[in-house]
Amino acid sequence: MFKNVFGSGFLVRIAHVILTWVITLILFLHDTDLRKHEENGRLVQPVLFVLLVLVSVLLYFAVSLMDPGFILNDDNGLQFTLGTTEEQQDMIPPPTSKSLRQRRCGHCLLQQPMRSKHCQTCQHCVRRYDHHCPWIENCVGERNHRWFVLYLAVQLLVLLWGLHMAWTGFSAADSWQAWLRSNGVLLAAAAAVALLSLTVLLLLGSHLYLVSLNTTTWEFMSRHRISYLRHCGADENPFDRGAARNLWGFFCAPGGSAVVWEQVYFREGSDPV
């Protein structure tokens, strides 16, 4: 289920953890509300903040080390032969029927289910491929996508809370030079947190939007190059079942089992199995 923690992303993960705890330490060392509550013996807020930071770090490692849905062999139990029945042949325009057949990956030579893609960085095909994220040094795919979105939500909460705490720690001074000397480190930390907050906010918003449409980043960005989407209209998505059902299926469907997207694609109104 999980990849080797000492793989190619080891330095990226260590850098993320160090940055997280360094900024947390800065917030406690300066005269912020976190430090004031700690000094006054009111530990609820400081403890909750540290626990939330810890949860965000654990989620980060879970998402970065989790198998995103690597296709490691030809799974005959999930094969869905296209174009074999008269009904399915009628549903596909003749010029595109050939291109919609399952094909073997030119890199790993395994048969690719619909919505999968070979990742050049991970050197594996990934089910329901979304994108390869350099932040976690892992692909985001069918098995870890919901955890990635949950991680973004928790991380955004931590960052916004940290930004508010940093704001409470700035102290007044007689001149700009004196103010920068006393607040320079906290200002740098606040600037980093603000930049990260904006980045995570944009990422979370875009992923929730795409999830509500039941599409992926790869499908959204490369629609014109994907065989099973070429013949669809500009606003047509064969996997869209309405925002409510899309969100429910993404967040609440049982995890661990691969979805046969060919059945969703060809049988409108049917549930994935």
Side-chain angles (χ1 to χ4, degrees):
M1 180 179 178
F2 291 95
K3 302 194 304 181
N4 185 0
V5 69
F6 297 107
S8 61
F10 177 71
L11 294 179
V12 175
R13 297 181 185 111
I14 290 299
H16 175 87
V17 172
I18 291 176
L19 180 62
T20 298
W21 289 112
V22 165
I23 291 178
T24 301
L25 183 61
I26 290 173
L27 293 177
F28 275 94
L29 291 178
H30 283 74
D31 195 24
T32 63
D33 281 355
L34 286 175
R35 182 174 178 177
K36 293 174 182 176
H37 279 72
E38 182 186 11
E39 291 175 344
N40 294 332
R42 294 176 292 173
L43 300 179
V44 175
Q45 188 175 114
V47 169
L48 285 178
F49 183 78
V50 171
L51 286 177
L52 194 60
V53 172
L54 181 60
V55 169
S56 74
V57 171
L58 292 177
L59 280 173
Y60 171 81
F61 273 96
V63 173
S64 65
L65 299 176
M66 187 181 296
D67 178 354
F70 292 137
I71 302 170
L72 303 178
N73 52 58
D74 287 329
D75 191 345
N76 294 327
L78 288 173
Q79 298 303 315
F80 187 83
T81 305
L82 309 183
T84 56
T85 67
E86 183 177 344
E87 178 185 0
Q88 291 170 354
Q89 289 174 351
D90 291 340
M91 293 178 68
I92 309 174
T96 62
S97 60
K98 186 176 182 179
S99 64
L100 290 176
R101 296 180 185 277
Q102 282 187 331
R103 62 184 180 85
R104 289 199 176 273
C105 174
H107 300 277
C108 56
L109 302 180
L110 295 175
Q111 201 166 36
Q112 289 183 322
M114 188 173 284
R115 308 192 83 182
S116 64
K117 183 183 181 297
H118 185 87
C119 175
Q120 297 285 0
T121 304
C122 294
Q123 291 300 307
H124 286 295
C125 288
V126 180
R127 294 185 184 277
R128 196 183 176 276
Y129 176 85
D130 188 87
H131 72 290
H132 182 89
C133 180
W135 188 356
I136 63 174
E137 269 300 306
N138 194 13
C139 282
V140 176
E142 190 166 65
R143 297 190 66 180
N144 68 344
H145 196 171
R146 75 176 71 179
W147 292 103
F148 180 72
V149 173
L150 177 61
Y151 160 69
L152 290 178
V154 173
Q155 186 67 69
L156 181 61
L157 182 59
V158 170
L159 289 169
L160 293 178
W161 194 353
L163 188 61
H164 171 69
M165 290 297 106
W167 181 262
T168 65
F170 291 119
S171 58
D174 296 332
S175 65
W176 278 106
Q177 292 79 3
W179 187 89
L180 285 175
R181 281 197 297 270
S182 61
N183 297 286
V185 175
L186 185 61
L187 179 63
V193 171
L195 181 61
L196 290 171
S197 298
L198 179 60
T199 302
V200 174
L201 178 62
L202 293 175
L203 276 173
L204 180 60
S206 63
H207 276 276
L208 288 176
Y209 171 72
L210 294 177
V211 166
S212 71
L213 300 176
N214 200 351
T215 191
T216 64
T217 303
W218 174 56
E219 290 170 342
F220 184 79
M221 300 295 294
S222 305
R223 183 184 183 92
H224 60 286
R225 297 194 291 113
I226 300 175
S227 59
Y228 56 83
L229 294 178
R230 282 178 190 162
H231 71 281
C232 299
D235 298 324
E236 182 183 357
N237 178 12
F239 307 108
D240 186 9
R241 298 183 295 169
R245 292 186 67 187
N246 291 338
L247 291 168
W248 175 266
F250 181 83
F251 288 107
C252 303
S257 58
V259 177
V260 184
W261 291 107
E262 290 85 349
Q263 292 187 357
V264 181
Y265 184 88
F266 286 108
R267 300 177 187 179
E268 184 177 355
S270 67
D271 291 325
V273 296

